[in-house]
Structures are given as structure tokens and as C-alpha cells.
């Protein structure tokens, strides 16, 4: 059986993304790895519960993209919060912090979700 071990995301600010995931979603951030083979490359693993980890990676060569544009690559990450109330509470927090993209709603395909944006512009669906 194949399972996802981790998903990797490039960032221009490793600490800002680690702090965001830790503060907003309660992620546990692992130690910083600094490559001796690729100068400037640093990474950390973020874990949420018992699901797969996120590897966040930075390097001076990583360019800034326009977060308002849809582009090739991962479209979003979806996180299950367990209840409508949890989605609504986190969406309210996201709105207060100015990072709410879409308010909680039932989608046509049966999901109750809201969408937030991280400091790099990545979309994160929060759902039941």
C-alpha cells in the first residue's frame, strides 16, 4: 500500500511559515536542517496529529510568485478539523487576522469548508 510520507513546500521565509503553521494550526515544527551540499538550503518538518508531515524548504534561489494567480503545482492543502463549529471558529479567527479567502459554506460536492491563505499565499482548506 502506498501512503503519503510528506508534502514539500518552498518558501522564502522558513521561520514565518513554521510560526504560522504552529500558531494557527498547532503544528509541531521539527529542528532546522541546513544542507552542507547545497549552500543556503534549509528545511523543517511540520507535523499535525498522525497525518503526513509537511516539509517546508527555503533557499536564496526561491522566487516570489503572485499568490493571487492560480498556477501549476499543488492547488491547496485540506485540513480536517472534525466539526462545523471548529471550521466556523477557525474561519472567524482567520477573518480577524485578515487571511480568510472564503467563508464557511457547503460545497456542491458535499464538503463544509472555508479557505485561508498562509504568508506565502498558499491556500489551505479547513473542513470537517
Amino acid at each position: 500500500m502506498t501512503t503519503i510520507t510528506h508534502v514539500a513546500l518552498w518558501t522564502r521565509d522558513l521561520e514565518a511559515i513554521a510560526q504560522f503553521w504552529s500558531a494557527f494550526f498547532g503544528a509541531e515544527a521539527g529542528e532546522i536542517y541546513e544542507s552542507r551540499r547545497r549552500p543556503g538550503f534549509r528545511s523543517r518538518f511540520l507535523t499535525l496529529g498522525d497525518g503526513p508531515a509537511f516539509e517546508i524548504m527555503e533557499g536564496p534561489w526561491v522566487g516570489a510568485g503572485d499568490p493571487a494567480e492560480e498556477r501549476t503545482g499543488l492547488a491547496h492543502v485540506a485540513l480536517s478539523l472534525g466539526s462545523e463549529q471548529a471550521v466556523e471558529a477557525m474561519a472567524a479567527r482567520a477573518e480577524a487576522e485578515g487571511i480568510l479567502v472564503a467563508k464557511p459554506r457547503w460545497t456542491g460536492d458535499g464538503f463544509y469548508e472555508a479557505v485561508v491563505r498562509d504568508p506565502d499565499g498558499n491556500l489551505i482548506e479547513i473542513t470537517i
Side-chain angles (χ1 to χ4, degrees):
M1 171 183 276
T2 301
T3 60
I4 294 175
T5 301
H6 73 268
V7 175
L9 300 171
W10 283 111
T11 182
R12 294 178 56 88
D13 189 340
L14 193 70
E15 295 312 311
I17 293 298
Q19 193 281 329
F20 169 79
W21 278 87
S22 296
F24 205 79
F25 296 113
E28 184 177 320
E31 295 297 314
I32 295 173
Y33 163 75
E34 294 190 37
S35 177
R36 290 187 304 239
R37 292 186 202 169
R38 193 171 187 195
F41 176 86
R42 298 180 346 133
S43 73
R44 294 180 86 167
F45 281 92
L46 305 174
T47 56
L48 294 163
D50 60 358
F54 290 93
E55 181 181 14
I56 53 174
M57 309 178 303
E58 82 176 1
W61 53 86
V62 177
D66 182 349
E69 290 184 19
E70 290 183 299
R71 56 195 183 269
T72 301
L74 295 175
H76 63 264
V77 172
L79 303 177
S80 174
L81 304 182
S83 71
E84 285 184 43
Q85 294 79 15
V87 171
E88 290 165 1
M90 186 168 283
R93 180 177 170 200
E95 187 168 35
E97 293 186 23
I99 61 171
L100 185 66
V101 175
K103 292 184 179 212
R105 74 227 178 261
W106 282 100
T107 63
D109 54 354
F111 290 95
Y112 188 73
E113 67 183 33
V115 180
V116 302
R117 189 179 303 276
D118 79 4
D120 281 338
N122 296 303
L123 298 178
I124 303 162
E125 285 184 358
I126 52 175
T127 186
I128 298 174

